[in-house]
Amino acid sequence: MNYKKIFLKKGKEASLQRFHPWVFSGAIAYADKNINEGEIVEVYTADKAFIAVGHYQIGSIAVRVLSFNNQTIDKAFWIKRLNAAYQMRKDMGLDYTDKHSSFRLVHGEGDFLPGLIVDFYGSTAVMQAHSVGMHLHRAEIADCIVKISEGKIKNVYYKSETTLPYKADTGAENGYLIGSDSDAVALENGLKFCIDWERGQKTGFFIDQRANRQLLEQYAKGRRVLNMFCYTGGFSCYAMRGGAACVHSVDSSAKAIDLVNKNMEMNFPSDTRHEAYAQDAFKFLDQMDENYDLIVLDPPAFAKHRDALRNALQGYKRLNAKAFEKIKSGGILFTFSCSQAVDKDQFRLAVFSAAAMSGRKVRILHQLTQPVDHPINIYHPEGEYLKGLVLYVE
Ligand code: SAH
């Protein structure tokens, strides 16, 4: 362990003593010279006691902690952390079966690997770096992913062009670190999904809604379902299997609508209950009739940063108000927010305001969150991002 050193201002070690995995730049008193972005550094208190080792980055989060032990960050370290992540998924019943071949292996801070996302889709792992440190370690991490996967992963696709800090100018390019183009169909609870990690959003699929889709399946029977912001049609496929009378999927992206239609054709060939529309959600809600009795609202993050919070809350209120206005009596509304900057209470207040505007009787049936393969490190509450409410509307 001969990493460069960073020394904190007096008292600034408190959050690290509580295992919070970030060091903010304002907490640093002084540091060794010439620390490169992405380099591994050791962090010391003002009293020169070791407290953490992590990736250095220029910006308000200066260090992302990899370990609170004074250890070398080498292949053995990555293997251990990745194995621990895989073991937790297995312990929770998530692994490859004949019905299932997709889950998130690594969820950043939630798996004690800040800045790293890894999703498994069949024989391909899609890896995303959100920190320069993880970017620099990409080749070593990709090797380790294959090693711990017990022969399941043959390809590792790296997709960090848009997730790395723009100013770091890493020149990162999306592409295969290991293997090459492969079968892009993954199974989720027996349903087939075509996953386009090269051109699709995020790593290609929204794995985080898996458990919430299963819940929706239970309520779909005989209902007329509207899936707004459907992307690849995850909720739509579960609604079809649940016996919905009809399922309408809406997304403003024509590419997403192509994927929904492809997924439907794979799972429910020639089933005329489903129709997809490439349209703006707000326009669709304005123009639609009042015939739906199960509506899903799963919009993209309205607030990517804290300064966008006010507008985001207005956005959630406006969107939900339209659904409350039009949903049939006895209808069920699944409404979500994936904005990290919006907390549970703020989201609930926005939905509450929308309900009040409609004057309808509304009851909360379920309060939803992210699934087990998107764990929240208890010392890093910022990791909680997905919030959902299931509402019964009279
Ligand atoms: N529910 C999806 C994930 C939704 S991601 C799932 O389970 O997989 C958000 C989606 O909203 C994206 O596909 C994006 O194309 C779409 N979108 C963004 N703005 C929109 C708008 N104004 N109207 C309709 N769709 C929109």
Side-chain angles (χ1 to χ4, degrees):
M1 290 144 295
N2 241 331
Y3 300 124
K4 287 183 192 144
K5 296 180 173 51
I6 281 179
F7 293 86
L8 300 177
K9 293 177 184 162
K10 200 150 186 62
K12 292 293 183 188
E13 67 283 359
S15 67
L16 292 168
Q17 282 167 338
R18 291 191 302 269
F19 307 114
H20 190 276
W22 295 343
V23 175
F24 289 99
S25 56
I28 297 174
Y30 58 97
D32 282 346
K33 282 206 181 72
N34 304 323
I35 301 179
N36 291 316
E37 192 154 28
E39 204 173 321
I40 292 175
V41 289
E42 290 170 14
V43 183
Y44 287 81
T45 66
D47 299 330
K48 301 197 168 41
F50 171 89
I51 191 152
V53 56
H55 280 140
Y56 175 74
Q57 192 157 307
I58 297 165
S60 92
I61 304 171
V63 183
R64 286 170 169 79
V65 173
L66 293 165
S67 178
F68 291 99
N69 295 325
N70 200 347
Q71 68 179 106
T72 308
I73 306 302
D74 53 10
K75 205 159 191 160
F77 169 83
W78 300 116
I79 293 266
K80 197 166 168 201
R81 284 284 155 97
L82 292 168
N83 260 329
Y86 195 10
Q87 188 58 48
M88 185 276 263
R89 272 84 184 154
K90 288 183 192 163
D91 289 347
M92 301 316 294
L94 263 185
D95 199 1
Y96 287 74
T97 66
D98 56 349
K99 289 207 166 67
H100 205 88
S101 65
S102 65
F103 56 90
R104 176 158 289 191
L105 176 79
V106 176
H107 185 61
E109 282 81 354
D111 287 295
F112 313 109
L113 290 166
L116 182 68
I117 298 292
V118 182
D119 287 340
F120 277 8
Y121 299 118
S123 60
T124 301
V126 182
M127 177 177 158
Q128 201 162 64
H130 290 254
S131 71
V132 180
M134 288 299 182
H135 171 68
L136 296 178
H137 279 108
R138 64 195 179 284
E140 193 174 31
I141 295 171
D143 271 350
C144 296
I145 289 171
V146 172
K147 280 217 169 65
I148 64 105
S149 78
E150 299 159 351
K152 286 151 196 151
I153 295 298
K154 308 258 187 285
N155 317 289
V156 180
Y157 185 74
Y158 186 61
K159 191 174 186 185
S160 304
E161 265 173 25
T162 57
T163 56
L164 285 164
Y166 161 74
K167 284 190 192 140
D169 198 16
T170 54
E173 282 180 18
N174 295 343
Y176 287 90
L177 296 175
I178 294 173
S180 62
D181 207 356
S182 50
D183 184 13
V185 175
L187 287 164
E188 187 184 89
N189 295 314
L191 290 165
K192 291 181 205 133
F193 290 100
C194 179
I195 312 226
D196 188 350
W197 43 81
E198 294 191 31
R199 285 164 295 270
Q201 300 176 36
K202 305 273 170 88
T203 66
F205 191 59
F206 286 79
I207 302 179
D208 57 358
Q209 289 287 21
R210 181 186 55 245
N212 302 331
R213 289 176 189 134
Q214 280 179 287
L215 182 68
L216 174 129
E217 182 175 0
Q218 294 175 30
Y219 296 135
K221 198 162 185 63
R223 291 188 182 267
R224 294 178 55 87
V225 177
L226 174 63
N227 180 12
M228 301 299 289
F229 309 94
C230 63
Y231 189 40
T232 54
F235 282 105
S236 304
C237 287
Y238 281 77
M240 291 287 281
R241 194 169 64 181
C246 73
V247 179
H248 292 167
S249 305
V250 179
D251 200 289
S252 56
S253 150
K255 268 198 288 187
I257 294 301
D258 285 346
L259 282 167
V260 179
N261 286 328
K262 216 166 157 180
N263 288 333
M264 275 298 160
E265 209 36 50
M266 271 196 303
N267 292 288
F268 308 96
S270 317
D271 193 326
T272 53
R273 287 178 300 152
H274 180 257
E275 277 172 60
Y277 304 90
Q279 252 194 55
D280 175 73
F282 287 89
K283 275 205 192 116
F284 188 95
L285 286 165
D286 275 340
Q287 291 163 2
M288 74 185 198
D289 56 25
E290 300 181 7
N291 242 339
Y292 296 105
D293 48 15
L294 199 167
I295 298 180
V296 182
L297 299 175
D298 184 23
F302 283 165
K304 294 233 160 68
H305 302 286
R306 296 230 162 257
D307 32 359
L309 188 60
R310 241 181 84 91
N311 284 344
L313 293 173
Q314 278 304 322
Y316 289 119
K317 188 169 144 186
R318 231 159 46 86
L319 181 66
N320 283 276
K322 285 184 196 291
F324 283 126
E325 196 187 302
K326 298 238 169 148
I327 196 166
K328 266 169 80 173
S329 180
I332 299 175
L333 177 62
F334 278 67
T335 182
F336 296 96
S337 160
C338 60
S339 304
Q340 198 155 345
V342 173
D343 71 25
K344 228 186 323 198
D345 292 337
Q346 289 164 324
F347 176 59
R348 190 152 152 178
L349 185 62
V351 177
F352 158 85
S353 308
M357 278 163 69
S358 73
R360 299 185 67 172
K361 264 192 182 145
V362 178
R363 279 176 276 179
I364 299 176
L365 307 180
H366 298 275
Q367 303 185 51
L368 307 177
T369 182
Q370 57 217 62
V372 292
D373 50 345
H374 293 61
I376 304 159
N377 172 347
I378 200 163
Y379 308 112
H380 178 257
E382 298 92 327
E384 182 173 0
Y385 71 99
L386 184 60
K387 305 151 288 286
L389 293 169
V390 181
L391 306 163
Y392 187 79
V393 187
E394 277 182 47

